[in-house]
């Protein structure tokens, strides 16, 4: 939740058209953090402080302050469906997945120069992000914003 809020705060300081790439990545990364928080809150994945590199392989903190690759079950996901989540996905999280997939529709064409970002695209991204935020806050029992 703290990381989600820091990213959400950052994206409000960016002009979505002038700084589209950074604004978009911040939006998508915040959305992915919201997704992971919801999966953790639903008990579908572990919230251990490890970094997933590829499905099943994580970088885990070591006593010496470094990190080591370890094999372990699902933790944070990078994208919807990667890695797949075992178990019954609650309806609200399925709606969050749909919102994230809609956000991702703009990633490649807008960031690789095939399509120029427009106010319409920014509006679509903003609407999907608001859906993500509402689902996260409802699942976490947060009224409006995280401090």
């Amino acid at each position: 939740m703290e990381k989600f809020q820091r990213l959400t705060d950052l994206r409000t300081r960016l002009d979505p058209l002038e700084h589209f790439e950074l604004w978009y990545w911040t939006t998508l990364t915040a959305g992915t953090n919201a997704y992971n928080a919801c999966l953790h809150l639903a008990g579908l994945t572990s919230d251990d402080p490890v970094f997933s590199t590829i499905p099943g392989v994580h970088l885990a903190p070591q006593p010496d302050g470094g990190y080591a690759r370890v094999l372990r079950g699902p933790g944070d996901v990078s994208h919807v469906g990667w890695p797949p989540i075992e178990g019954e996905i609650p309806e609200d999280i399925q709606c969050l997945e749909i919102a994230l997939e809609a956000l991702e529709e703009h990633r490649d064409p807008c960031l690789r120069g095939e399509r120029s970002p427009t106010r319409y695209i920014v509006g679509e991204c903003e609407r999907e992000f608001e859906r993500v935020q509402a689902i996260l806050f409802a699942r976490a029992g947060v009224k409006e914003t995280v401090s």
Side-chain angles (χ1 to χ4, degrees), residues 46-53 57-72:
S46 167
D47 66 351
D48 291 343
V50 298
F51 176 73
S52 176
T53 57
V57 179
H58 301 263
L59 291 177
Q62 300 299 298
D64 67 1
Y67 287 84
R69 286 186 170 83
V70 296
L71 298 175
R72 49 190 306 140

Side-chain angles (χ1 to χ4, degrees), residues 36-129:
N36 280 308
C38 286
L39 291 171
H40 301 329
L41 289 167
L44 294 168
T45 58
S46 167
D47 66 351
D48 291 343
V50 298
F51 176 73
S52 176
T53 57
I54 59 173
V57 179
H58 301 263
L59 291 177
Q62 300 299 298
D64 67 1
Y67 287 84
R69 286 186 170 83
V70 296
L71 298 175
R72 49 190 306 140
D76 284 352
V77 300
S78 299
H79 299 279
V80 172
W82 200 77
I85 301 301
E86 295 181 18
E88 183 74 26
I89 306 289
E91 187 176 337
D92 64 327
I93 297 176
Q94 290 177 36
C95 291
L96 193 150
E97 290 174 338
I98 291 167
L100 286 176
E101 288 170 335
L103 268 172
E104 288 217 20
E105 288 292 319
H106 297 293
R107 184 187 64 214
D108 290 345
C110 289
L111 299 184
R112 293 195 168 86
E114 300 163 18
R115 182 183 311 145
S116 293
T118 63
R119 292 214 177 275
Y120 180 79
I121 290 171
V122 167
E124 283 186 339
C125 291
E126 195 62 52
R127 280 188 297 282
E128 297 305 332
F129 186 76

